[in-house]
């Protein structure tokens, strides 16, 4: 057989060696699979030692705050109200604090689906927060950017929605 083919070999272009191409395609596929696998792991693996306390100290240590949800237990896809209590680091209630609320899911790169607002000062350092909502299960952060007595600091809470 090979002797017969031998004649045409001189005329036709040599058959290309496709092996490098297969190797290159294989490497690209492996790279893509690795990328998606690591993305899935990153999106689903919680950082260890997350503090889920409902009472936390603000980032610079100026304030302490505690949240309580009127929806208990927390559920996804329900707009609900929180009460947040804020005080100074030495336990004096903040009676004239200003708040901005934001948050999101750090692993997913998205924020809250709503824009919660502090709508009422209930006195004694308590404030009503309306418009809370979480639309997915998983790890959420909620940030209260607080200004009081000419100082500002951020309280961050971690939540695990199930
Ligand atoms: Cu998400």
């Amino acid at each position: 057989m090979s002797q017969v083919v031998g004649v045409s070999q001189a005329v036709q272009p040599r058959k290309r060696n496709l092996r490098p191409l297969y190797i290159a395609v294989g490497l690209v596929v492996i790279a893509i699979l690795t990328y998606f696998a690591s993305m899935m792991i990153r999106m689903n693996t919680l950082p260890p030692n997350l503090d889920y306390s409902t009472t936390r100290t603000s980032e610079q240590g100026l304030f302490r705050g505690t949240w309580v949800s009127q929806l208990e237990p927390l559920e996804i896809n329900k707009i609900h109200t929180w009460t947040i209590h804020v005080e100074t680091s030495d336990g004096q209630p903040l009676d004239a604090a200003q708040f901005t609320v934001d948050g999101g899911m750090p692993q997913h790169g998205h924020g809250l689906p709503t824009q919660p607002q502090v709508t009422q000062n209930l006195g004694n350092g308590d404030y009503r927060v309306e418009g809370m909502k979480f639309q997915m299960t998983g790890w959420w952060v909620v940030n209260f950017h607080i200004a009081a007595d000419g100082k500002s600091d951020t309280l961050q809470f971690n939540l695990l929605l199930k």
Side-chain angles (χ1 to χ4, degrees):
M1 282 292 261
S2 59
Q3 285 92 335
V4 179
V5 177
V7 178
S8 60
Q9 260 182 348
V11 185
Q12 291 183 351
R14 284 186 60 193
K15 199 178 176 190
R16 275 212 191 134
N17 181 2
L18 292 176
R19 216 169 146 211
L21 181 65
Y22 293 150
I23 291 171
V25 169
L27 288 174
V28 169
V29 168
I30 288 167
I32 290 169
L33 290 178
T34 306
Y35 173 77
F36 280 107
S38 69
M39 198 171 75
M40 291 306 289
I41 290 167
R42 189 161 44 83
M43 283 177 72
N44 293 301
T45 308
L46 290 173
N49 309 320
L50 274 180
D51 182 354
Y52 298 106
S53 306
T54 56
T55 297
R56 294 201 77 190
T57 301
S58 58
E59 282 167 5
Q60 295 164 55
L62 299 179
F63 311 128
R64 277 175 73 74
T66 303
W67 64 269
V68 176
S69 171
Q70 287 184 9
L71 179 66
E72 173 60 38
L74 281 177
E75 279 177 62
I76 62 167
N77 293 325
K78 280 195 179 170
I79 292 188
H80 62 283
T81 299
W82 282 15
T83 301
I84 181 153
H85 174 80
V86 285
E87 54 189 41
T88 58
S89 53
D90 58 356
Q92 302 303 309
L94 295 177
D95 283 325
Q98 301 290 317
F99 297 84
T100 313
V101 187
D102 60 33
M105 298 185 85
Q107 292 167 305
H108 296 180
H110 64 74
L112 295 173
T114 56
Q115 293 181 308
Q117 304 281 332
V118 170
T119 54
Q120 197 181 351
N121 183 342
L122 303 169
N124 198 37
D126 290 349
Y127 298 81
R128 184 193 310 282
V129 189
E130 291 188 72
M132 295 300 304
K133 183 183 167 184
F134 308 99
Q135 87 275 37
M136 290 183 193
T137 57
W139 169 38
W140 290 84
V141 297
V142 176
N143 301 308
F144 289 86
H145 306 284
I146 303 168
D149 304 332
K151 299 170 194 160
S152 57
D153 205 350
T154 296
L155 257 174
Q156 184 174 79
F157 296 103
N158 296 297
L159 288 82
L160 198 58
L161 270 284
K162 293 184 178 170

